[in-house]
Amino acid sequence: MLLSDLQTGERGVVTRVAGHGAFRKRIIEMGFIKGVEVTSVLNAPLNDPIKYRIMNFEVSLRHSDAMKVEIVTPEEAEREIANHDDFRALEAEETTLQHIAKERSRTINVALVGNPNCGKTSIFNVAAHAHERVGNYSGVTVDEKVGTFKYGGYTFNLTDLPGTYSLSAYSPEELYVRRHILEKNPDIILNVVDGSNLERNLYLTTQLIDMDITMVMALNMYDELQKSGDRLDIEQLSTLLGMPIVPTTGRSGQGIGSLFDKIIEVFEGGGYRHIHVNHGRYLERHIKQLRTHLYEHGFSDEISTRFLAIKLLEHDSQLERYAAERDPDGSALQLRDQIAEGYKKGSGRRLVENVVDNGHKVDVESGHQDIESAITDAKYAFVRGALAECYVRNEKSTLHSLTDRLDSIVTHRWLGYPVFLLFMFVTFWCTFTLGAYPMDWIDGLFAWLGERIGEGMSEGPWRSLVVDGIIAGVGSVLVFLPNILILYLFISFMEDSGYMARAAFIMDKLMHRMGLHGKSFIPMIMGFGCNVPAIMATRTIEDRKSRLLTMLVIPMMSCSARIPVYVILCSAFFSTHAAYVIMGLYLLGMVMSVLMAKLFSRYFVKGDSLPFVMELPPYRLPTAKAVLRHTWEKGKEYLKKMATIILGASIIVWALSYFPYHEDPKQQAENSYMAKIGKTIEPAMRPCGFDWRQSVALLSGVFAKEVVASTMGVLYSTSDYSDGSDCSEYSESSEYSEDADDFRIASLIRDHMTPLSAFSMLLFILLYMPCLSTVVAIKNESGRWKWAVFTMAYTIGLAWVVSALVFQLGSLLL
């Protein structure tokens, strides 16, 4: 519990002091150290401040300061003793409290902070044995991930924060990371730096130094630094930055043990010294002036006054509000404005003097520089100065030359698009051609399993539930697991290698013309796997207009949940051209998404788009372990869905199609609850070429698109349509079926649809409303139900119009 929670007369033992900088130093000097007993003596009349007794003297603390001290009380100790046999031998209460306080004090809260692509999540995965997504493009981690593990006798709570280039207030990632540091007060900031791109990465390091927080640096991708032939004096850089630096290679786990050994050493008080980034004589004078004012007005308790002063000089909007709330007379912001204006005038004169000294004449006004730009320039100057003393670049490095050679092909003006289409075609060809073999094996297994179980059970509802409901329903979806795994295998490889960023690069101009942002392409491609994380990934798009537009069109990207329906229909009617048909559906979804984005941009979502700025990281060969792990993680999610959503939906669909029970199969098919629901909506779906079975299957897909396949499997397994009821107009399809690959589900539907109605259904599946999880994700990311409901409405309308047009025109022509 917190020290502020102690009631008058209660006592506890200090386990941790949170906070940083001057506050932490002051309170520790007053005796609030680990293992010391403290007693709450008295509250002031307004319950603030509070008087405490510690080390035989009394001290007054504000309630807000007491909240930063963690303690353990005798009551907590008793509860913990009851749960641990090894504590029961301790007879003296003081010894027990001391022991528990010591154990709790050996918990270290670590936050990973770094640029996108620096390898934070790789280190997190190795250290915490987690399986978070790692991709070689910005914005993979769009939310914090937390892992807990034990090492060296300590418990680590590790938090992987979103990748960010700075701690400004321009993007959600920047605000999120800064808020976490200021509000959660982690014990150690693990600053992860890409060793192959030091100058840019160290800019964020300078901002973290300004915050006056305890840091350890992981010099990640050290293997690439060594291979490049660059030379870095790590010990010298450590001295210049005032923090320990440990070389690591996150992908292989090299150096991770040494890294956490160093974190323990720093946590216990060694190996770290705080420095100030020198911004130059003029800027430092102004920073000191504003910092002194902030300190005198009580700003020193919650945030580093130096960091706050610098951010106010940079006109950081969030911290301006923070200052205004705590400084009602506005003196801090007034002083900031005076400093900024004075600096701008003074910088103009200084710059002109410098230019004149070099023999040139310029207009005085042209030399003016605002203080925000000057602070940024000064930080980069500090970084360049530090690297000049300890870093020597190998001009003959092959790392970037290889990237340049590959980019000359995959981002070529004319070759870029064919290369992208080739990647897509190979992906889909392998997904549906190579995946057909294990798919047939699994399908045969379920067919055999249904027969054996059916033979061992007597006729009745339980037999029908197991064979026609569970086995047919779940089996009709589980059969596509190989296809899902192959698709994710290719997507993981493209993400980890760095090609996804190039795809966004070559698509930016087209995206911009359609009202989207180049960065929109990455979430859209992620939508091929699952729409929900793709919607979440839109957080990496800075401006609201492009972010919202991307959310609205992602549902038209064919997620893996649609694959079972695609394969069923293509196997039944387009088996010899399945890869081309399915690739065409994926491309059509992309085309429709950009066309709808253009429409929405013009009429529904207003605003200007920000410029396209995105890092293009060097190509890296993904490790087989990482790619296979990511692929299997998605496979486990698919299996988990089989055991929950799909199983439940299959049972519900079976019950609705089995009851009320009739001995006559025809009466059963015609009068079941499912048939009544289907026939109610059939008139609206008939223009698209769907009978009640396809209509009700589409309705079930609202919950999850895989349910469409399981519903079809259950419906056609529980009904006997040998008389051709309801499907007489489809009789010509029986000739076509001879050329189709014969797997169980496809053969069941082959006599009841035509190639045209099947193609119409493929289009409907492609375009109609996303699953409910995606709808909720749109609401959460947009902040309003309005856009979630709008997405459901427009996708259903679009799917109906396109499918009806194709079916009606096709019927006239064919």
Side-chain angles (χ1 to χ4, degrees):
M1 64 184 295
L2 302 179
L3 180 60
S4 57
D5 296 329
L6 276 184
Q7 301 299 313
T8 300
E10 294 181 344
R11 62 193 177 90
V13 172
V14 176
T15 61
R16 177 191 308 275
V17 177
H20 300 283
F23 162 77
R24 190 171 190 274
K25 185 174 186 296
R26 184 175 72 248
I27 201 169
I28 288 176
E29 288 174 346
M30 293 171 65
F32 288 86
I33 58 176
K34 292 181 291 186
V36 172
E37 182 179 297
V38 58
T39 303
S40 177
V41 178
L42 180 68
N43 282 20
L46 297 179
N47 292 322
D48 203 3
I50 308 170
K51 184 166 70 172
Y52 296 98
R53 181 177 295 111
I54 185 170
M55 293 183 176
N56 294 321
F57 73 96
E58 295 179 345
V59 61
S60 173
L61 286 182
R62 290 176 180 169
H63 187 272
S64 59
D65 292 339
M67 290 178 63
K68 294 176 180 150
V69 180
E70 297 178 14
I71 61 169
V72 58
T73 64
E75 292 75 20
E76 289 180 300
E78 289 177 4
R79 289 194 296 270
E80 195 153 338
I81 291 169
N83 297 324
H84 294 83
D85 294 335
D86 54 339
F87 286 164
R88 292 175 185 168
L90 298 173
E91 298 179 356
E93 184 182 83
E94 298 299 326
T95 305
T96 303
L97 271 175
Q98 296 287 340
H99 183 83
I100 294 176
K102 180 181 178 181
E103 289 300 312
R104 290 195 178 184
S105 69
R106 294 172 71 87
T107 297
I108 309 177
N109 299 315
V110 180
L112 282 77
V113 180
N115 286 190
N117 303 314
C118 68
K120 290 185 298 82
T121 306
S122 294
I123 292 178
F124 176 84
N125 286 338
V126 171
H129 305 290
H131 302 290
E132 295 302 333
R133 189 72 189 87
V134 181
N136 194 10
Y137 59 88
S138 64
V140 172
T141 307
V142 293
D143 206 344
E144 68 176 42
K145 306 294 189 299
V146 180
T148 300
F149 66 98
K150 293 185 180 294
Y151 178 82
Y154 289 78
T155 299
F156 285 87
N157 294 322
L158 204 59
T159 303
D160 180 20
L161 294 174
T164 179
Y165 293 107
S166 74
L167 296 177
S168 303
Y170 298 118
S171 73
E173 291 80 21
E174 293 170 349
L175 291 173
Y176 193 98
V177 172
R178 193 170 74 185
R179 189 183 304 117
H180 180 94
I181 294 173
L182 294 177
E183 295 179 1
K184 300 295 181 65
N185 286 304
D187 299 308
I188 304 288
I189 296 295
L190 179 53
N191 180 206
V192 184
V193 170
D194 179 358
S196 63
N197 201 339
L198 284 172
E199 185 173 342
R200 194 214 56 215
N201 278 243
L202 290 177
Y203 177 78
L204 175 62
T205 304
T206 63
Q207 293 185 317
L208 292 169
I209 290 172
D210 290 337
M211 296 186 78
D212 193 10
I213 50 182
T214 305
M215 286 197 292
V216 174
M217 178 182 291
L219 185 66
N220 202 32
M221 303 181 188
Y222 188 63
D223 57 333
E224 293 186 7
L225 178 67
Q226 292 177 310
K227 291 177 183 176
S228 68
D230 297 352
R231 297 198 310 276
L232 175 67
D233 187 338
I234 296 177
E235 189 172 332
Q236 176 68 3
L237 182 61
S238 173
T239 301
L240 294 171
L241 297 179
M243 70 183 75
I245 300 177
V246 181
T248 61
T249 302
R251 293 188 299 170
S252 65
Q254 182 180 353
I256 303 299
S258 299
L259 176 63
F260 283 92
D261 287 336
K262 184 60 69 174
I263 290 175
I264 292 172
E265 179 185 339
V266 171
F267 177 73
E268 294 297 347
Y272 178 82
R273 65 181 182 87
H274 181 69
I275 67 163
H276 286 321
V277 174
N278 191 335
H279 294 80
R281 181 163 54 94
Y282 297 103
L283 278 174
E284 285 296 332
R285 185 180 66 194
H286 295 309
I287 292 171
K288 182 179 180 181
Q289 181 184 1
L290 182 54
R291 181 187 181 189
T292 301
H293 180 91
L294 293 170
Y295 185 83
E296 291 173 350
H297 285 71
F299 280 90
S300 61
D301 292 339
E302 298 181 3
I303 186 171
S304 162
T305 51
R306 180 176 175 84
F307 177 74
L308 180 58
I310 292 171
K311 284 301 171 185
L312 290 180
L313 290 172
E314 291 179 328
H315 291 81
D316 186 292
S317 58
Q318 187 186 56
L319 291 180
E320 283 179 340
R321 291 192 295 271
Y322 171 86
E325 291 171 359
R326 288 158 180 76
D327 186 22
D329 62 1
S331 59
L333 294 180
Q334 290 175 10
L335 177 59
R336 186 278 311 274
D337 292 339
Q338 294 172 8
I339 291 173
E341 184 63 27
Y343 182 87
K344 187 173 183 180
K345 293 178 180 178
S347 70
R349 289 193 296 272
R350 286 194 303 277
L351 289 174
V352 169
E353 289 170 1
N354 291 337
V355 173
V356 169
D357 286 344
N358 291 326
H360 301 283
K361 293 183 179 180
V362 296
D363 186 346
V364 172
E365 290 296 314
S366 69
H368 287 299
Q369 183 185 32
D370 63 80
I371 200 165
E372 298 174 66
S373 301
I375 291 173
T376 301
D377 291 346
K379 289 186 183 298
Y380 273 112
F382 172 84
V383 170
R384 285 191 292 269
L387 292 178
E389 296 188 36
C390 59
Y391 179 62
V392 178
R393 181 182 295 278
N394 176 19
E395 299 299 334
K396 297 180 180 180
S397 172
T398 60
L399 178 63
H400 291 284
S401 61
L402 175 61
T403 294
D404 292 339
R405 287 198 297 272
L406 290 174
D407 274 347
S408 66
I409 299 173
V410 300
T411 63
H412 189 271
R413 181 180 181 184
W414 303 113
L415 294 177
Y417 296 108
V419 168
F420 172 72
L421 293 176
L422 177 63
F423 280 142
M424 291 292 101
F425 176 77
V426 171
T427 297
F428 298 132
W429 186 88
C430 292
T431 297
F432 302 108
T433 302
L434 299 182
Y437 298 102
M439 182 182 71
D440 289 340
W441 302 335
I442 298 174
D443 183 62
L445 174 63
F446 273 90
W448 175 84
L449 183 63
E451 292 175 2
R452 298 288 81 76
I453 293 179
E455 292 171 356
M457 298 180 68
S458 59
E459 191 71 34
W462 288 110
R463 178 182 182 278
S464 179
L465 169 62
V466 174
V467 176
D468 301 326
I470 296 176
I471 295 178
V474 175
S476 62
V477 180
L478 188 60
V479 70
F480 303 104
L481 177 62
N483 306 86
I484 303 295
L485 294 177
I486 293 173
L487 176 64
Y488 271 113
L489 186 72
F490 277 89
I491 291 178
S492 296
F493 183 86
M494 287 190 287
E495 289 177 342
D496 292 2
S497 66
Y499 178 71
M500 280 299 194
R502 272 67 185 183
F505 174 79
I506 65 174
M507 296 298 291
D508 176 62
K509 189 171 185 179
L510 176 61
M511 290 289 182
H512 184 67
R513 286 181 176 177
M514 296 300 175
L516 289 171
H517 196 279
K519 282 188 177 180
S520 301
F521 192 69
I522 289 176
M524 290 171 69
I525 293 295
M526 291 176 65
F528 287 163
C530 179
N531 286 173
V532 174
I535 296 292
M536 296 175 64
T538 59
R539 298 178 194 175
T540 61
I541 306 172
E542 288 82 0
D543 67 293
R544 182 181 179 278
K545 177 184 177 182
S546 295
R547 186 163 62 249
L548 182 56
L549 285 172
T550 308
M551 286 183 220
L552 295 179
V553 300
I554 279 177
M556 280 181 282
M557 310 305 292
S558 289
C559 64
S560 59
R562 294 175 168 96
I563 289 179
V565 189
Y566 289 172
V567 175
I568 287 175
L569 295 176
C570 286
S571 296
F573 299 101
F574 314 110
S575 59
T576 56
H577 303 94
Y580 296 98
V581 173
I582 294 175
M583 180 178 177
L585 290 171
Y586 276 77
L587 293 177
L588 178 61
M590 296 174 65
V591 171
M592 293 299 295
S593 66
V594 294
L595 290 178
M596 297 307 294
K598 182 68 173 178
L599 178 66
F600 297 154
S601 178
R602 177 170 295 183
Y603 297 108
F604 295 102
V605 184
K606 303 295 183 180
D608 297 324
S609 296
L610 293 179
F612 175 63
V613 180
M614 187 182 73
E615 179 188 3
L616 293 178
Y619 289 100
R620 295 186 173 98
L621 183 64
T623 62
K625 178 182 177 181
V627 172
L628 291 175
R629 184 180 64 194
H630 302 154
T631 302
W632 176 238
E633 287 298 314
K634 296 301 180 184
K636 285 202 300 185
E637 291 178 13
Y638 192 73
L639 292 174
K640 188 182 299 183
K641 190 180 287 188
M642 294 303 100
T644 53
I645 297 175
I646 306 304
L647 176 60
S650 298
I651 293 173
I652 292 172
V653 170
W654 168 84
L656 292 174
S657 59
Y658 188 83
F659 296 105
Y661 179 72
H662 292 274
E663 293 289 342
D664 183 358
K666 181 178 180 180
Q667 289 293 321
Q668 177 72 44
E670 293 289 333
N671 296 293
S672 67
Y673 295 126
M674 185 65 79
K676 293 176 181 178
I677 295 172
K679 289 176 181 179
T680 301
I681 62 176
E682 182 181 8
M685 306 303 290
R686 177 60 67 175
C688 301
F690 311 146
D691 69 4
W692 69 265
R693 299 171 191 83
Q694 291 101 50
S695 301
V696 82
L698 290 169
L699 180 63
S700 67
V702 168
F703 300 97
K705 292 297 177 286
E706 298 97 336
V707 179
V708 176
S710 65
T711 300
M712 295 174 71
V714 173
L715 286 177
Y716 292 117
S717 295
T718 57
S719 302
D720 179 8
Y721 305 116
S722 58
D723 61 349
S725 61
D726 291 333
C727 300
S728 58
E729 68 271 36
Y730 300 144
S731 59
E732 67 270 21
S733 67
S734 59
E735 297 179 2
Y736 183 86
S737 67
E738 296 177 1
D739 297 326
D741 292 335
D742 188 19
F743 79 98
R744 189 163 46 97
I745 307 168
S747 64
L748 289 173
I749 68 171
R750 196 173 291 141
D751 291 331
H752 312 296
M753 297 180 73
T754 65
L756 179 59
S757 62
F759 186 67
S760 175
M761 189 170 184
L762 286 171
L763 294 176
F764 203 96
I765 288 289
L766 168 68
L767 299 174
Y768 90 119
M769 70 165 287
C771 66
L772 291 181
S773 298
T774 302
V775 172
V776 173
I778 293 173
K779 180 266 174 184
N780 291 338
E781 295 303 316
S782 67
R784 301 180 66 180
W785 274 111
K786 164 187 171 182
W787 296 113
V789 174
F790 174 76
T791 303
M792 290 190 290
Y794 100 78
T795 50
I796 292 173
L798 180 65
W800 190 92
V801 169
V802 171
S803 295
L805 282 174
V806 168
F807 184 77
Q808 295 302 323
L809 291 175
S811 298
L812 290 175
L813 295 174
L814 300 177

